[in-house]
Amino acid sequence: MVVDFALPPRCPICGVTVEADNRFCLSCWQNLDFLNEPWCASCGKPFAFAQGEGAQCISCLKERPAHDGVRAVVAYDDKSGLLAMRLKYGARLGLAELIGQHMERFLDEVPVDAVIIPVPLHRWRLWSRGFNQSVLIGNALSKRSGIVMNSDILVRKKATPPLRSMSAKKRRKIVNEAFLLPSGVSDRVAGKTIILVDDVYTTGSTANACAGLLKQSGANKVLVFCWARVLTDYDKA
């Protein structure tokens, strides 16, 4: 078609022309740090080498998270972060489809009756942005997998400031007061495996707050699916 010549598909990171939509160029693909097993049995933090079944990272040995693991497509860096920023702030909504496509590889450990729940935005942020990137990603994953998505089970009742520079104690206090589950949703959660979808996993405070509420309502398991996960040099060791 003429439009294919006028608007050829481009790498979502560097903009080089590629062979099809939602594809990376070879250079960007090779420079993305895709995350795979082995990883911590509790939080999904990647290990440099296999440490045996049920092995946990030091952080989880000290304090196990409320969720049951993070399944991140890639480690967060300048390239992967740029893609997340273009979706969230550049309204490149088609990138949600690309992220959902890459999340499919984590579905082998998820039952068919699982429920996808996107991390909610506060209504003020939703009004200003016009969309919730986690809902778009969750919807893309739902369409590809057939797993039901419910975007009204979790509600963010309070807007939260950036959390990364705060102490762990202060982060927990803020996010624990930010979310709620409306009355009458427990029957849609009880006994289920929940796929909690977000774009980036940074400190884990938001995921833990959401997972804690879902577990209190009877969820059997909560896995966090995201595009990128922030890892320190210590985490990568």
Side-chain angles (χ1 to χ4, degrees):
M1 294 177 65
V2 173
V3 70
D4 294 328
F5 293 98
L7 298 170
R10 295 184 179 278
C11 172
I13 293 176
C14 72
V16 168
T17 302
V18 292
E19 68 275 13
D21 289 329
N22 294 328
R23 299 283 182 88
F24 297 103
C25 70
L26 180 60
S27 176
C28 288
W29 175 270
Q30 291 177 333
N31 282 288
L32 286 170
D33 184 6
F34 287 93
L35 301 180
N36 297 285
E37 295 186 86
W39 50 46
C40 170
S42 292
C43 76
K45 187 180 296 179
F47 289 143
F49 54 87
Q51 301 189 28
E53 186 177 353
Q56 294 177 292
C57 65
I58 294 174
S59 298
C60 289
L61 288 171
K62 292 179 179 178
E63 183 178 3
R64 185 171 180 141
H67 59 71
D68 297 285
V70 180
R71 303 294 180 256
V73 178
V74 294
Y76 188 92
D77 58 20
D78 290 343
K79 286 186 178 292
S80 61
L82 181 61
L83 188 146
M85 295 286 282
R86 284 174 172 167
L87 169 59
K88 187 184 296 186
Y89 301 114
R92 296 276 296 277
L93 306 188
L95 296 178
E97 178 63 32
L98 181 150
I99 293 172
Q101 174 185 327
H102 282 277
M103 284 180 173
E104 276 192 287
R105 65 186 172 95
F106 301 129
L107 292 177
D108 288 346
E109 61 182 305
V110 175
V112 294
D113 66 343
V115 180
I116 297 171
I117 298 179
V119 171
L121 287 180
H122 188 265
R123 63 181 183 276
W124 294 348
R125 190 160 294 171
L126 186 59
W127 290 340
S128 64
R129 190 176 300 165
F131 62 92
N132 179 350
Q133 70 279 355
S134 297
V135 170
L136 296 177
I137 296 168
N139 189 53
L141 183 62
S142 177
K143 287 181 177 179
R144 298 185 71 88
S145 66
I147 295 174
V148 172
M149 184 185 80
N150 283 308
S151 58
D152 60 347
I153 288 179
L154 268 175
V155 175
R156 190 185 289 255
K157 62 180 180 177
K158 291 184 178 180
T160 53
L163 302 172
R164 195 174 182 187
S165 61
M166 299 180 186
S167 67
K169 183 177 180 180
K170 189 169 184 180
R171 289 199 302 265
R172 280 196 296 268
K173 183 178 188 302
I174 289 174
V175 296
N176 285 342
E177 297 174 349
F179 300 95
L180 65 82
L181 267 70
S183 59
V185 301
S186 294
D187 60 330
R188 296 153 67 188
V189 170
K192 299 286 188 180
T193 292
I194 304 298
I195 302 172
L196 184 67
V197 171
D198 208 354
D199 56 342
V200 176
Y201 183 95
T202 308
T203 67
S205 299
T206 295
N208 270 312
C210 293
L213 283 174
L214 293 165
K215 290 285 189 72
Q216 289 171 26
S217 292
N220 179 53
K221 189 175 185 179
V222 179
L223 288 171
V224 183
F225 280 25
C226 62
W227 161 245
R229 178 175 186 162
V230 174
L231 296 171
T232 64
D233 291 338
Y234 176 78
D235 292 328
K236 298 176 184 177

